[in-house]
Amino acid sequence: MNSRILILDCGSQFTQLIARRVREARVYSEIHPPTKSLDWIRAWKPTGIILSGGPSSVTDEGAPTVSRALLDIAPVLGVCYGMQLIAHLEGGAVVGGGRREYGRAEVTVDEASGMFAGFEGGEKTTVWMSHGDHVEQVPPGYVPTAHSGNTCAGFRHVSKPIHAVQFHAEVHHTARGAEIIENFLFDICHCTPDWTPGHFIDLEVQKIREMVGDRQVICGLSGGVDSSVAAALVHKAIGDQLTCIFVDTGLLRLHEREQVERTFRAHLGIKLITVRAEDRFLNALAGEGDPEKKRKLIGHTFIDVFEDASADAGKDAAFLVQGTLYPDVIESVSAKGGPSATIKTHHNVGGLKPDMKFKLIEPLRELFKDEVRNVGRELGLPEEMVGRHPFPGPGLAIRVLGEVTPHALDVLRRADAIYLEEIRAAGLYPDIWQAFAVFLPVRSVGVMGDGRTYDNVVALRAVTSTDGMTADWFPFPHDVLARISNRIINEVDGVNRVVYDVSSKPPATIEWE
């Protein structure tokens, strides 16, 4: 890649969205903590650097900071806290209180060039603010480029490519945010838009071949988008050196094993071994209701099954392929000055045993979900596979809240199948990022026929999203929801109540566990 943007994460909940918006402009980006050394940053050779927002005050003890010398390595954009940090480093005045701004705000463009190229001088534009501190006085050698009320909303250096905005250009609520970011990428950094699926495949195939040599590789195949694309990509690189192992964990959706076997053996011609391991997983999960512990138990059991399967197949595999994505990595890391919090331990990241004999190949580790889908299409995978909704590595275990039992799995599996069948029948499946049923650890009173029932509750979840970082609940037509509820209650023994989840992310996560 000729162009790449380094994003230094100062703790904002929106840092991932900055990376996403940069990649939407077909420029590669990575997120790293601001504690990276100047030598490391210079060696990385960024085309541009973005300092993210964050909840700290620049004068707080331990607040994220960078060396002033960073501003001379490459063009720099400060966003929100990043703007305040530049002002602080360069001798401006940053003060707190009195002018807090949260939510939508109106910004007036003072200088219709640089970050605001394509705007008109004096033009007002809607942006998303989230700050308590503000820049009271721009540093020497800088000039304001925008304001909100009496507050500076943007500035730039008079001769160096250093720019800053007080608002979050990366969120959809900022009306012309994508345009502002593209001004930084192409007018200020002079990036080349070369981050494409084809380019990524070529680079990754070469990397995999160099890493693997003539050794054997196994892939943990779930049948979902991530592992399917990872398997196809590795297969393109090394062919028959790859053996896919599909583990029926007993935590899969209805008829999932049969669908995976048919697709990978018949359509792709990839070597596939199926392992029936339902009892091992259910025994490992017996009595455990904590979601983090369930994830790690599943991860450990998964690797145990892999080791047994590779030995049984007579393979001396040195590598294990996993479909880890960039959001998995971001959400599973919490470091001072880095991403703000560990949201949950992802199956592909946090469940591995430290003494695992396999070396990991994670070819999708740098990609967001929609980028993975586009790579899959470029590799020739069928649309019904690459267009499938995300499905978690731990499967239905994290959609059975509390202890996982065969009865709960059976009820959930049948309810979930009806739910997805009706969504497809209504033509709504492509409009939804993710839809699934959840088995709740509660029972409710109902009336069926002439008798009283005391049965289980199933919750339905459907969200829209572009990247999984944020999500809104899907507004089903009432007749579709009514039909889904009616079918589940009538056709699934043990359910007498269906509820619909109308929570967005944040504050909720997409999965319930």
Side-chain angles (χ1 to χ4, degrees):
M1 291 162 291
N2 296 322
S3 301
R4 49 197 202 159
I5 298 296
L6 175 63
I7 300 166
L8 296 180
D9 179 13
C10 298
S12 171
Q13 61 178 316
F14 300 130
T15 302
Q16 299 91 330
L17 293 181
I18 300 176
R20 191 67 201 90
R21 301 300 167 247
V22 172
R23 292 191 185 190
E24 284 175 353
R26 296 172 62 185
V27 176
Y28 182 67
S29 63
E30 280 188 17
I31 298 171
H32 290 280
T35 51
K36 287 291 186 182
S37 70
L38 290 176
D39 288 343
W40 184 94
I41 293 170
R42 290 189 183 100
W44 201 79
K45 296 181 179 178
T47 313
I49 299 170
I50 298 177
L51 301 174
S52 85
S56 302
S57 293
V58 292
T59 55
D60 287 348
E61 184 178 352
T65 191
V66 297
S67 168
R68 190 176 177 185
L70 175 87
L71 303 178
D72 294 321
I73 293 177
V76 176
L77 168 61
V79 176
C80 198
Y81 176 88
M83 170 173 164
Q84 298 162 16
L85 180 56
I86 293 172
H88 180 66
L89 292 171
E90 293 280 77
V94 179
V95 299
R99 299 181 188 173
R100 296 176 182 272
E101 289 184 290
Y102 296 101
R104 286 184 175 85
E106 194 173 66
V107 160
T108 301
V109 175
D110 298 320
E111 187 177 86
S113 61
M115 295 296 297
F116 296 102
F119 288 72
E120 295 182 2
E123 179 178 345
K124 298 183 185 301
T125 186
T126 301
V127 302
W128 186 263
M129 294 283 195
S130 179
H131 68 97
D133 296 354
H134 66 276
V135 176
E136 181 77 9
Q137 181 178 342
V138 301
Y142 287 78
V143 295
T145 57
H147 69 274
S148 172
N150 295 322
T151 303
C152 179
F155 63 63
R156 68 168 178 85
H157 195 279
V158 295
S159 60
K160 298 178 181 179
I162 305 172
H163 296 254
V165 292
Q166 184 58 71
F167 54 87
H168 290 280
E170 67 273 19
V171 304
H172 287 297
H173 305 298
T174 295
R176 297 174 67 177
E179 186 178 346
I180 291 169
I181 290 173
E182 288 179 7
N183 284 339
F184 177 70
L185 297 177
F186 302 117
D187 293 351
I188 296 167
C189 298
H190 306 295
C191 290
T192 302
D194 57 4
W195 177 245
T196 65
H199 190 191
F200 169 80
I201 290 170
D202 291 343
L203 291 174
E204 202 61 33
V205 163
Q206 180 182 351
K207 188 188 302 183
I208 292 166
R209 286 173 178 165
E210 291 174 354
M211 181 189 303
V212 171
D214 60 358
R215 288 169 290 183
Q216 295 293 312
V217 178
I218 58 175
C219 174
L221 189 63
S222 70
V225 178
D226 305 342
S227 66
S228 298
V229 174
L233 181 54
V234 175
H235 185 256
K236 179 179 178 66
I238 61 173
D240 286 344
Q241 289 171 248
L242 172 69
T243 298
C244 287
I245 298 178
F246 176 69
V247 178
D248 186 347
T249 62
L251 308 171
L252 305 175
R253 285 173 162 167
L254 197 65
H255 305 312
E256 194 153 14
R257 184 183 71 250
E258 295 86 352
Q259 292 170 355
V260 169
E261 290 175 334
R262 183 169 59 251
T263 299
F264 278 82
R265 285 183 180 142
H267 181 78
L268 298 177
I270 294 177
K271 289 192 292 186
L272 177 65
I273 296 170
T274 299
V275 180
R276 300 288 297 270
E278 299 98 317
D279 291 343
R280 290 181 68 170
F281 282 89
L282 290 176
N283 288 338
L285 290 167
E288 184 55 69
D290 180 83
E292 284 290 280
K293 291 179 181 177
K294 286 196 293 186
R295 286 176 178 271
K296 290 184 177 180
L297 285 169
I298 291 167
H300 292 168
T301 304
F302 212 76
I303 299 303
D304 288 341
V305 171
F306 267 131
E307 290 177 340
D308 293 345
S310 60
D312 291 343
K315 304 293 185 182
D316 187 21
F319 295 91
L320 167 64
V321 178
Q322 285 203 145
T324 309
L325 304 192
Y326 202 36
D328 298 344
V329 177
I330 295 168
E331 289 193 358
S332 295
V333 175
S334 181
K336 185 176 181 180
S340 57
T342 297
I343 297 168
K344 60 180 176 289
T345 299
H346 282 263
H347 173 55
N348 285 343
V349 180
L352 300 177
K353 296 192 300 185
D355 60 348
M356 182 184 69
K357 76 170 187 176
F358 305 114
K359 295 180 181 178
L360 284 180
I361 299 177
E362 298 175 299
L364 311 179
R365 189 179 176 90
E366 299 171 345
L367 302 185
F368 288 94
K369 192 75 175 192
D370 61 328
E371 293 175 316
V372 173
R373 297 188 197 279
N374 289 334
V375 167
R377 293 182 180 103
E378 187 81 11
L379 289 167
L381 294 176
E383 185 61 33
E384 59 267 23
M385 180 181 293
V386 296
R388 182 188 178 190
H389 291 174
F391 188 67
L396 300 183
I398 58 168
R399 294 176 180 173
V400 172
L401 303 196
E403 183 180 1
V404 180
T405 66
H407 169 71
L409 288 168
D410 181 60
V411 169
L412 177 59
R413 199 172 277 122
R414 289 183 290 140
D416 190 71
I418 291 170
Y419 184 30
L420 296 181
E421 181 182 318
E422 287 295 333
I423 289 174
R424 288 189 172 97
L428 299 174
Y429 192 86
D431 300 330
I432 298 171
W433 166 267
Q434 194 169 2
F436 55 90
V438 180
F439 183 93
L440 303 185
V442 296
R443 299 173 73 187
S444 72
V445 174
V447 178
M448 302 183 78
D450 294 324
R452 174 187 183 277
T453 63
Y454 188 55
D455 274 329
N456 303 114
V457 180
V458 167
L460 305 179
R461 179 80 157 137
V463 298
T464 58
S465 180
T466 56
D467 47 35
M469 294 290 97
T470 60
D472 291 320
W473 58 275
F474 181 75
F476 275 113
H478 290 181
D479 62 321
V480 175
L481 268 183
R483 187 161 57 249
I484 293 167
S485 174
N486 188 59
R487 281 197 61 193
I488 290 174
I489 291 172
N490 285 332
E491 298 177 30
V492 181
D493 291 338
V495 178
N496 68 359
R497 192 177 299 270
V498 173
V499 298
Y500 185 57
D501 182 352
V502 292
S503 308
S504 296
K505 175 186 179 180
T509 53
I510 295 177
E511 295 286 348
W512 279 46
E513 286 192 345

